[in-house]
Amino acid sequence: MTTTAPALAYSSLAEQAYQVLRDRLVMLDIAPGAPINEAQLAADLGIGRTPIRESLKKLELDHLVVSYPRRGTFATQVDITDLAAISEMRHVLEPLAARRAATVARADVRAELAEKARQIGSMGDEPEDKRPLMEYDIDVHRLIYRAAENPHLEETLVRLDNLATRIWCLVLERLPWVSEHIKEHVTLLEAIVAKDADRAAALAASHVEHFEEAIRAVL
């Protein structure tokens, strides 16, 4: 059975809306607890309300929005108590993704990883605006997950990383060392590029541990 052109276009619009809204929710551009205005979002993105509704269904599965009958859809609250459960999962899955990436990543993806390591390695001191650092962090993790060549692992880790990033954004201004955390990625990326699976897995585990320790230190 072939997919018609209108169906493909509709799917593309829904995915576009999903990605835009997901990142706004993750970066807290849409504040926790804020109502989701479908009409305004449709106007902002220049698409119909139906793709917006479809994207919201997917975002609800990601625990980024919640819908209530007769009340509407809202951004989920950021629950700090979720940190332990999220970290427990990431302690297992982040090293697995790093190990797989070091083992199976294609040459073109390794080149992307190497370029990202170069970009991060050339960063200067802690900037006043920490948002670009958060965007680097998201980019690195999603790139590693993609490099692991396991779509089920990738989907799970993207979801967990999104939830962890929301917690990070909530306390971001209380963390004076964000650039140091981002720079930890350099050795991790280099290990993956060098196909050193054991080192990549160990560095990924250490990175998750440092993240959890830093967040707990400011709570």
Side-chain angles (χ1 to χ4, degrees):
M1 181 177 176
T2 58
T3 305
T4 64
L8 286 171
Y10 169 77
S11 176
S12 176
L13 288 173
E15 182 61 23
Q16 174 190 336
Y18 168 75
Q19 291 180 10
V20 170
L21 293 177
R22 178 193 64 188
D23 290 348
R24 289 184 183 180
L25 289 158
V26 168
M27 297 295 288
L28 305 189
D29 295 330
I30 299 175
I36 305 297
N37 187 319
E38 292 181 11
Q40 184 61 55
L41 287 171
D44 289 348
L45 299 179
I47 60 178
R49 292 180 67 170
T50 302
I52 295 291
R53 292 193 185 106
E54 288 302 311
S55 71
L56 290 174
K57 290 178 184 177
K58 190 173 179 181
L59 289 164
E60 190 159 18
L61 293 175
D62 291 343
H63 304 290
L64 294 175
V65 303
V66 60
S67 296
Y68 300 102
R70 296 179 297 280
R71 286 184 57 198
T73 302
F74 300 80
T76 55
Q77 297 290 346
V78 178
D79 189 350
I80 298 295
T81 62
D82 285 342
L83 179 62
I86 293 168
S87 295
E88 182 178 36
M89 294 285 289
R90 294 182 73 214
H91 272 295
V92 175
L93 298 180
E94 291 279 356
L96 174 61
R99 181 180 295 279
R100 278 192 55 84
T103 305
V104 305
R106 301 186 308 272
D108 60 327
V109 178
R110 288 185 196 276
E112 288 186 66
L113 293 163
E115 173 59 20
K116 189 64 67 175
R118 187 198 64 75
Q119 292 173 7
I120 295 173
S122 65
M123 288 192 324
D125 296 331
E126 188 83 16
E128 185 173 341
D129 180 8
K130 295 186 172 76
R131 185 186 181 95
L133 298 178
M134 300 300 299
E135 291 170 348
Y136 262 131
D137 187 77
I138 291 171
D139 286 348
V140 168
H141 284 282
R142 290 180 185 172
L143 183 55
I144 292 172
Y145 306 154
R146 177 161 59 86
E149 295 282 350
N150 182 325
H152 301 292
L153 178 62
E154 179 180 5
E155 181 182 10
T156 301
L157 274 170
V158 166
R159 186 176 297 165
L160 290 169
D161 188 60
N162 288 341
L163 297 175
T165 300
R166 293 186 89 214
I167 294 173
W168 196 0
C169 286
L170 196 66
V171 300
L172 188 60
E173 295 309 315
R174 286 184 265 165
L175 298 171
W177 50 265
V178 177
S179 63
E180 292 305 313
H181 181 79
I182 303 304
K183 288 175 182 177
E184 285 184 5
H185 290 117
V186 174
T187 52
L188 170 57
L189 291 168
E190 289 174 344
I192 293 172
V193 172
K195 303 184 180 182
D196 189 340
D198 289 342
R199 178 166 168 75
L203 288 168
S206 177
H207 185 70
V208 173
E209 184 176 343
H210 291 167
F211 169 79
E212 184 179 9
E213 289 173 351
I215 297 298
R216 291 196 181 284
V218 297
L219 292 180

